Amino acid sequence: MYGGKNRVTTKMVRDKKEEKNIHILRPLYVPVSNAIRRTFGTRGYVFAICKFLRRLPEMYFRNYINSYRSPYGYKSIDEERHKVINMQVHVLGDNNKGKVIMLLENQSHHAGFCAIWVYILNRLSFSDKMGFYHVIDWEESEFYQEDHPIHGSTSIFEYYFEQPSGISLADARKSNFVVYDWNSPEYGYNDAFHVGDNNDYRFTDKDVEQFAKIQRKYIHLHKEIELSIKDQVEKLFQGKTNVIGVHARGADTKIGYKGHPTIVTSEDYINETEKMVKKFKADMIFLATDDQVMLDQFKNAFGNRLVYYEDVIRSTSTIMNCFIEEKRENHHYLLGLEIIRDVYTLAACRGFVCGMSYVGFIVQIIKKANEECFDDFIRISKGINMDGLDLNKSTVRKKIGNDWKKELKQKGRI
């Protein structure tokens, strides 16, 4: 038992001991690194050190650092120099021999659901180009993560979607040829639009076209979720097809964040919706909104022709609806599911009115992925705020969060 294939080496014992020792320190370094993150923010040198410390317990990450070299190289072919990307390969087991698996372990703690969705489509675009089998693990979210498995998985992505390449997360972690997706520019991160770049909110028709192909090829809901949403859409629309869809962001957008779209008012949304309704003599208007005040104003404007999902949690102030903790089973899972349902319902509409948001981007992508086009599409844009509260600063996020908690506590909703 000590020889051949199963031979235990001194290095293996040393690595196991080192990993165990680091995990013993986890209760100390995690709160310390989180404190650094809250104090110094998510940009620059200090945050980079924080992320480094948090990943030290992962053996593959330590191996990556130990063997790091410049990711770029060049190879001469027919007297031409071609750029070569050097990626470290990890042998995690004997599964899936002959397949290059790119494993994305996403840790976007504060990002919105559709922003992550766009980001995943970007990463899948790269894997598709390279011929990799991509496996996704969305590990952390303060909004959508439950403390127990959903559909047998602890990965938020697998709560709702099938794995893109048909390889499970557990299987990928025992595979023979694994490349970790480090979210790096040298891994094609800037090949298309992506969340957080300086072209944020500048989504082009080309981006929609590219991501629609990737959506159609790789992103598939669990069958029971797909059938449930289809059934709910049919009941809501009552057999009508001449329906205008509206996505109207309210709540925290009224704060006016720096680098985010300028506020679009309920009057703006209603005016543009009225134009489209008149143009098509629409039977119904479907409204997806996170804002109760917005919903009430649409009711006044459109009366019985307005339809919406009644089980959605909506804000009555500037508090993000996903920040509100409701006492319902699987609350965080349902927050994500309700966004998905809104997106697919909007994509089932004849026309679409929206502001600048990732929900609107995903709706366009799904419509195109279904090989359909809106008969009319209006995106209301008033530009990007050059001033305002900067969410890149942790002190700003902390203050907003504390103010919201205080308000929710006063209302008995926390």
Coordinates of all heavy atoms in Angstrom, one line a residue, residues 124-181:
L124 N -17.4 32.6 -20.4 CA -17.8 31.5 -21.3 C -17.4 31.8 -22.8 O -17.0 30.9 -23.5 CB -19.2 31.2 -21.2 CG -19.7 30.5 -20.0 CD1 -21.2 30.5 -19.9 CD2 -19.2 29.1 -19.9
S125 N -17.4 33.1 -23.1 CA -17.0 33.5 -24.5 C -15.5 33.2 -24.7 O -15.1 32.7 -25.8 CB -17.2 35.0 -24.7 OG -18.5 35.4 -24.6
F126 N -14.7 33.4 -23.7 CA -13.3 33.1 -23.8 C -13.1 31.5 -23.9 O -12.3 31.1 -24.7 CB -12.5 33.6 -22.6 CG -11.1 33.2 -22.5 CD1 -10.2 33.7 -23.5 CD2 -10.6 32.4 -21.5 CE1 -8.9 33.4 -23.4 CE2 -9.3 32.0 -21.5 CZ -8.4 32.5 -22.4
S127 N -13.7 30.8 -23.0 CA -13.6 29.3 -23.1 C -14.1 28.8 -24.4 O -13.5 27.8 -24.9 CB -14.4 28.7 -21.9 OG -13.7 28.8 -20.7
D128 N -15.2 29.3 -24.9 CA -15.7 28.9 -26.2 C -14.6 29.1 -27.3 O -14.4 28.2 -28.1 CB -17.0 29.6 -26.5 CG -17.6 29.1 -27.8 OD1 -18.2 28.0 -27.8 OD2 -17.6 29.9 -28.8
K129 N -14.0 30.2 -27.3 CA -13.0 30.5 -28.3 C -11.8 29.6 -28.2 O -11.2 29.1 -29.1 CB -12.5 32.0 -28.1 CG -11.4 32.4 -29.1 CD -11.1 33.9 -28.9 CE -10.4 34.1 -27.6 NZ -9.9 35.5 -27.5
M130 N -11.4 29.2 -26.9 CA -10.2 28.4 -26.7 C -10.5 26.9 -26.8 O -9.6 26.1 -26.8 CB -9.7 28.7 -25.3 CG -9.2 30.2 -25.1 SD -7.9 30.6 -26.1 CE -6.5 29.7 -25.4
G131 N -11.8 26.5 -26.8 CA -12.2 25.1 -26.8 C -12.2 24.4 -25.5 O -12.1 23.2 -25.4
F132 N -12.3 25.2 -24.4 CA -12.2 24.7 -23.0 C -13.6 24.2 -22.6 O -14.6 24.7 -23.1 CB -11.7 25.7 -22.0 CG -10.3 26.1 -22.2 CD1 -9.8 27.3 -21.6 CD2 -9.4 25.4 -23.0 CE1 -8.5 27.7 -21.8 CE2 -8.1 25.8 -23.1 CZ -7.7 27.0 -22.6
Y133 N -13.7 23.3 -21.6 CA -14.9 23.0 -21.0 C -15.0 23.8 -19.7 O -14.2 23.6 -18.8 CB -14.9 21.5 -20.6 CG -14.9 20.6 -21.8 CD1 -13.7 20.3 -22.5 CD2 -16.1 20.0 -22.3 CE1 -13.7 19.5 -23.6 CE2 -16.1 19.1 -23.4 CZ -14.9 18.9 -24.0 OH -14.9 18.1 -25.1
H134 N -16.0 24.7 -19.6 CA -16.0 25.7 -18.5 C -16.9 25.1 -17.4 O -18.1 24.7 -17.7 CB -16.5 27.0 -19.0 CG -15.9 28.2 -18.2 ND1 -15.1 29.1 -18.8 CD2 -16.0 28.5 -16.9 CE1 -14.7 30.0 -17.8 NE2 -15.3 29.6 -16.7
V135 N -16.5 25.2 -16.2 CA -17.3 24.8 -15.0 C -17.3 26.0 -14.1 O -16.3 26.7 -13.8 CB -16.7 23.6 -14.3 CG1 -17.6 23.2 -13.1 CG2 -16.7 22.4 -15.3
I136 N -18.5 26.4 -13.6 CA -18.7 27.6 -12.8 C -19.1 27.3 -11.4 O -20.0 26.5 -11.1 CB -19.8 28.5 -13.5 CG1 -19.4 28.9 -14.9 CG2 -20.1 29.7 -12.6 CD1 -20.5 29.5 -15.7
D137 N -18.4 27.9 -10.5 CA -18.8 27.9 -9.1 C -18.9 29.3 -8.6 O -17.9 30.0 -8.3 CB -17.8 27.1 -8.2 CG -18.2 27.0 -6.8 OD1 -19.4 27.2 -6.5 OD2 -17.4 26.7 -5.9
W138 N -20.2 29.8 -8.4 CA -20.4 31.1 -7.8 C -20.5 30.9 -6.3 O -21.5 30.5 -5.8 CB -21.7 31.7 -8.4 CG -22.0 33.1 -7.9 CD1 -21.3 33.9 -7.1 CD2 -23.2 33.8 -8.2 NE1 -22.0 35.1 -6.8 CE2 -23.1 35.0 -7.5 CE3 -24.3 33.6 -9.0 CZ2 -24.2 36.0 -7.6 CZ3 -25.3 34.5 -9.1 CH2 -25.2 35.7 -8.4
E139 N -19.5 31.3 -5.6 CA -19.3 30.9 -4.2 C -19.9 31.8 -3.2 O -20.4 31.3 -2.2 CB -17.8 30.7 -3.9 CG -17.1 29.6 -4.7 CD -15.7 29.5 -4.3 OE1 -15.0 30.5 -4.4 OE2 -15.2 28.4 -4.0
E140 N -19.8 33.1 -3.4 CA -20.2 34.0 -2.4 C -21.2 35.1 -2.9 O -21.0 35.6 -3.9 CB -18.9 34.7 -1.8 CG -18.0 33.8 -1.1 CD -16.7 34.5 -0.6 OE1 -16.8 35.8 -0.5 OE2 -15.8 33.9 -0.2
S141 N -22.1 35.4 -2.0 CA -23.0 36.6 -2.3 C -23.8 36.9 -1.0 O -24.3 36.0 -0.4 CB -24.0 36.3 -3.4 OG -24.9 37.4 -3.5
E142 N -23.8 38.2 -0.6 CA -24.5 38.5 0.6 C -26.0 38.6 0.3 O -26.8 38.7 1.2 CB -24.1 39.9 1.1 CG -24.3 41.1 0.1 CD -24.0 42.4 0.7 OE1 -24.3 42.6 1.9 OE2 -23.3 43.2 0.0
F143 N -26.4 38.5 -1.0 CA -27.8 38.6 -1.4 C -28.4 37.2 -1.7 O -29.6 37.0 -1.3 CB -28.0 39.5 -2.6 CG -27.4 40.9 -2.4 CD1 -26.5 41.4 -3.4 CD2 -27.6 41.6 -1.3 CE1 -26.0 42.7 -3.3 CE2 -27.1 42.9 -1.1 CZ -26.2 43.4 -2.1
Y144 N -27.7 36.4 -2.4 CA -28.4 35.2 -3.0 C -27.9 33.9 -2.4 O -28.4 32.8 -2.8 CB -28.1 35.2 -4.5 CG -28.4 36.5 -5.1 CD1 -27.4 37.3 -5.6 CD2 -29.7 37.0 -5.2 CE1 -27.6 38.5 -6.2 CE2 -30.0 38.2 -5.8 CZ -28.9 39.0 -6.3 OH -29.2 40.2 -6.8
Q145 N -27.0 33.9 -1.5 CA -26.4 32.6 -1.0 C -27.2 32.1 0.3 O -27.4 32.9 1.2 CB -24.9 32.9 -0.6 CG -24.2 31.6 -0.1 CD -22.8 31.9 0.2 OE1 -22.4 33.0 0.6 NE2 -21.9 30.9 0.0
E146 N -27.6 30.9 0.2 CA -28.2 30.2 1.4 C -27.2 29.5 2.2 O -26.0 29.3 1.7 CB -29.3 29.2 0.9 CG -30.5 29.9 0.2 CD -31.4 30.6 1.1 OE1 -31.1 30.6 2.4 OE2 -32.4 31.2 0.7
D147 N -27.5 29.2 3.5 CA -26.6 28.5 4.3 C -26.8 27.0 4.3 O -26.3 26.2 5.1 CB -26.7 29.0 5.8 CG -28.1 28.8 6.3 OD1 -29.0 28.2 5.6 OD2 -28.4 29.2 7.5
H148 N -27.5 26.5 3.2 CA -27.7 25.1 3.0 C -27.9 24.9 1.5 O -28.1 25.8 0.7 CB -29.0 24.7 3.7 CG -30.2 25.5 3.3 ND1 -30.6 26.7 3.9 CD2 -31.2 25.2 2.3 CE1 -31.7 27.1 3.3 NE2 -32.0 26.3 2.3
P149 N -27.7 23.6 1.1 CA -27.7 23.3 -0.3 C -29.1 23.6 -0.9 O -30.1 23.4 -0.3 CB -27.3 21.8 -0.4 CG -26.6 21.6 0.9 CD -27.3 22.4 1.9
I150 N -29.1 24.0 -2.2 CA -30.3 24.1 -3.0 C -30.2 23.3 -4.2 O -29.1 23.4 -4.9 CB -30.6 25.6 -3.4 CG1 -30.8 26.5 -2.2 CG2 -31.8 25.7 -4.4 CD1 -32.0 26.3 -1.4
H151 N -31.1 22.4 -4.5 CA -31.0 21.5 -5.6 C -29.7 20.6 -5.5 O -29.1 20.3 -6.5 CB -31.1 22.1 -7.0 CG -32.4 22.8 -7.3 ND1 -33.6 22.2 -7.2 CD2 -32.6 24.1 -7.6 CE1 -34.5 23.1 -7.5 NE2 -34.0 24.2 -7.7
G152 N -29.3 20.4 -4.2 CA -28.2 19.5 -3.9 C -26.9 20.2 -4.1 O -25.8 19.6 -4.0
S153 N -26.8 21.6 -4.3 CA -25.6 22.3 -4.5 C -25.5 23.5 -3.5 O -26.4 24.1 -3.2 CB -25.5 22.7 -5.9 OG -24.3 23.5 -6.2
T154 N -24.2 23.8 -3.2 CA -23.9 25.0 -2.4 C -23.4 26.1 -3.3 O -23.1 27.2 -2.8 CB -22.8 24.7 -1.3 OG1 -21.7 24.2 -2.0 CG2 -23.4 23.7 -0.3
S155 N -23.3 25.9 -4.6 CA -22.9 26.9 -5.6 C -24.2 27.6 -6.1 O -25.1 27.0 -6.5 CB -22.2 26.3 -6.8 OG -22.1 27.2 -7.8
I156 N -24.1 29.0 -6.0 CA -25.3 29.8 -6.4 C -25.6 29.5 -7.8 O -26.8 29.5 -8.2 CB -25.0 31.3 -6.1 CG1 -24.8 31.5 -4.6 CG2 -26.2 32.1 -6.6 CD1 -24.2 32.9 -4.3
F157 N -24.6 29.4 -8.7 CA -24.9 29.1 -10.1 C -25.8 27.9 -10.3 O -26.7 27.9 -11.0 CB -23.6 29.0 -10.9 CG -23.8 28.8 -12.3 CD1 -24.0 29.8 -13.2 CD2 -23.7 27.5 -12.9 CE1 -24.2 29.6 -14.6 CE2 -23.9 27.3 -14.2 CZ -24.2 28.4 -15.1
E158 N -25.4 26.8 -9.5 CA -26.1 25.6 -9.7 C -27.5 25.6 -9.0 O -28.2 24.6 -9.1 CB -25.3 24.4 -9.2 CG -24.1 24.1 -10.1 CD -23.3 22.9 -9.6 OE1 -23.5 22.4 -8.5 OE2 -22.4 22.4 -10.4
Y159 N -27.8 26.6 -8.2 CA -29.2 26.7 -7.7 C -30.2 26.7 -8.8 O -31.3 26.2 -8.8 CB -29.4 28.0 -6.9 CG -28.7 28.2 -5.6 CD1 -27.9 27.2 -5.0 CD2 -28.8 29.4 -4.9 CE1 -27.3 27.4 -3.8 CE2 -28.2 29.6 -3.7 CZ -27.5 28.6 -3.1 OH -26.9 28.8 -1.9
Y160 N -29.8 27.4 -9.9 CA -30.7 27.8 -11.0 C -30.3 27.1 -12.4 O -31.2 26.9 -13.2 CB -30.7 29.3 -11.2 CG -30.9 30.1 -9.9 CD1 -29.7 30.7 -9.4 CD2 -32.1 30.2 -9.3 CE1 -29.8 31.4 -8.2 CE2 -32.2 30.9 -8.1 CZ -31.1 31.5 -7.5 OH -31.2 32.3 -6.4
F161 N -29.1 26.9 -12.6 CA -28.6 26.6 -14.0 C -27.9 25.2 -14.0 O -27.3 24.8 -13.0 CB -27.7 27.6 -14.5 CG -28.2 29.0 -14.6 CD1 -27.9 30.0 -13.6 CD2 -29.1 29.4 -15.6 CE1 -28.4 31.3 -13.7 CE2 -29.6 30.7 -15.7 CZ -29.3 31.6 -14.7
E162 N -28.0 24.6 -15.2 CA -27.1 23.4 -15.5 C -25.7 23.9 -15.7 O -25.5 25.0 -16.2 CB -27.7 22.7 -16.7 CG -29.1 22.2 -16.6 CD -29.3 21.1 -15.6 OE1 -28.3 20.5 -15.2 OE2 -30.5 20.9 -15.2
Q163 N -24.7 23.1 -15.4 CA -23.3 23.4 -15.8 C -23.2 23.5 -17.3 O -23.7 22.7 -18.0 CB -22.3 22.4 -15.2 CG -22.1 22.6 -13.7 CD -21.3 23.9 -13.4 OE1 -20.8 24.6 -14.3 NE2 -21.2 24.2 -12.1
P164 N -22.5 24.5 -17.8 CA -22.4 24.8 -19.2 C -21.9 23.6 -20.1 O -22.4 23.4 -21.2 CB -21.4 25.9 -19.3 CG -21.4 26.6 -18.0 CD -21.7 25.5 -17.0
S165 N -20.9 22.8 -19.5 CA -20.3 21.8 -20.3 C -20.8 20.4 -19.9 O -20.2 19.4 -20.4 CB -18.8 21.9 -20.2 OG -18.4 23.1 -20.7
G166 N -21.8 20.3 -19.0 CA -22.3 19.0 -18.6 C -21.4 18.3 -17.6 O -21.6 17.2 -17.3
I167 N -20.4 19.1 -17.1 CA -19.4 18.5 -16.1 C -19.8 19.1 -14.7 O -19.8 20.4 -14.6 CB -18.0 18.8 -16.4 CG1 -17.6 18.2 -17.8 CG2 -17.0 18.3 -15.3 CD1 -16.3 18.5 -18.3
S168 N -20.1 18.3 -13.7 CA -20.5 18.9 -12.4 C -19.2 19.5 -11.7 O -18.1 19.2 -12.1 CB -21.0 17.7 -11.6 OG -20.0 16.9 -11.1
L169 N -19.5 20.3 -10.8 CA -18.5 21.0 -10.0 C -17.6 19.9 -9.3 O -16.4 20.0 -9.2 CB -19.1 21.9 -9.0 CG -18.2 22.9 -8.3 CD1 -17.4 23.8 -9.2 CD2 -19.0 23.8 -7.3
A170 N -18.3 18.9 -8.7 CA -17.6 17.9 -7.9 C -16.7 17.1 -8.9 O -15.5 16.8 -8.5 CB -18.6 17.0 -7.3
D171 N -17.2 16.8 -10.1 CA -16.4 16.1 -11.1 C -15.2 16.9 -11.6 O -14.1 16.4 -11.7 CB -17.3 15.8 -12.3 CG -16.7 14.7 -13.2 OD1 -15.8 14.0 -12.7 OD2 -17.1 14.7 -14.4
A172 N -15.4 18.2 -11.8 CA -14.3 19.1 -12.2 C -13.2 19.1 -11.2 O -12.0 19.2 -11.6 CB -14.8 20.5 -12.4
R173 N -13.5 19.1 -9.9 CA -12.5 19.1 -8.9 C -11.7 17.8 -8.7 O -10.9 17.7 -7.8 CB -13.1 19.5 -7.6 CG -13.5 21.0 -7.6 CD -14.3 21.4 -6.3 NE -14.5 22.9 -6.3 CZ -15.4 23.5 -5.6 NH1 -16.2 22.8 -4.8 NH2 -15.5 24.8 -5.6
K174 N -12.1 16.8 -9.5 CA -11.3 15.5 -9.6 C -10.8 15.2 -11.0 O -10.6 14.1 -11.3 CB -12.2 14.4 -9.1 CG -12.7 14.6 -7.6 CD -13.6 13.4 -7.2 CE -14.1 13.6 -5.8 NZ -15.0 12.5 -5.4
S175 N -10.7 16.3 -11.8 CA -10.3 16.1 -13.2 C -8.8 16.2 -13.4 O -8.1 16.7 -12.6 CB -11.1 17.1 -14.0 OG -12.5 16.8 -14.0
N176 N -8.4 15.7 -14.6 CA -7.0 15.5 -14.9 C -6.3 16.7 -15.5 O -5.1 16.8 -15.5 CB -7.0 14.3 -15.9 CG -5.6 13.8 -16.2 OD1 -5.0 14.0 -17.2 ND2 -5.0 13.2 -15.1
F177 N -7.1 17.7 -16.0 CA -6.5 18.8 -16.7 C -7.3 20.1 -16.4 O -8.2 20.4 -17.2 CB -6.4 18.5 -18.2 CG -5.4 19.4 -19.0 CD1 -4.3 18.8 -19.5 CD2 -5.6 20.7 -19.1 CE1 -3.4 19.6 -20.2 CE2 -4.7 21.5 -19.8 CZ -3.6 20.9 -20.4
V178 N -7.0 20.8 -15.4 CA -7.8 21.9 -14.9 C -7.0 23.2 -15.0 O -5.9 23.3 -14.5 CB -8.3 21.7 -13.5 CG1 -9.1 22.9 -13.0 CG2 -9.2 20.5 -13.4
V179 N -7.6 24.2 -15.6 CA -7.0 25.6 -15.6 C -7.9 26.5 -14.9 O -9.1 26.5 -15.2 CB -6.9 26.1 -17.1 CG1 -6.3 27.5 -17.1 CG2 -5.9 25.2 -17.9
Y180 N -7.4 27.2 -13.9 CA -8.3 28.1 -13.1 C -8.4 29.4 -13.8 O -7.5 30.0 -14.3 CB -7.7 28.3 -11.7 CG -7.9 27.1 -10.8 CD1 -7.0 26.1 -10.7 CD2 -9.1 27.0 -10.1 CE1 -7.2 25.0 -9.9 CE2 -9.3 25.9 -9.3 CZ -8.4 24.9 -9.2 OH -8.6 23.8 -8.4
D181 N -9.6 29.9 -13.8 CA -9.9 31.2 -14.4 C -9.6 32.3 -13.4 O -10.4 32.5 -12.4 CB -11.4 31.2 -14.7 CG -11.8 32.4 -15.6 OD1 -11.0 33.4 -15.6 OD2 -12.8 32.4 -16.2

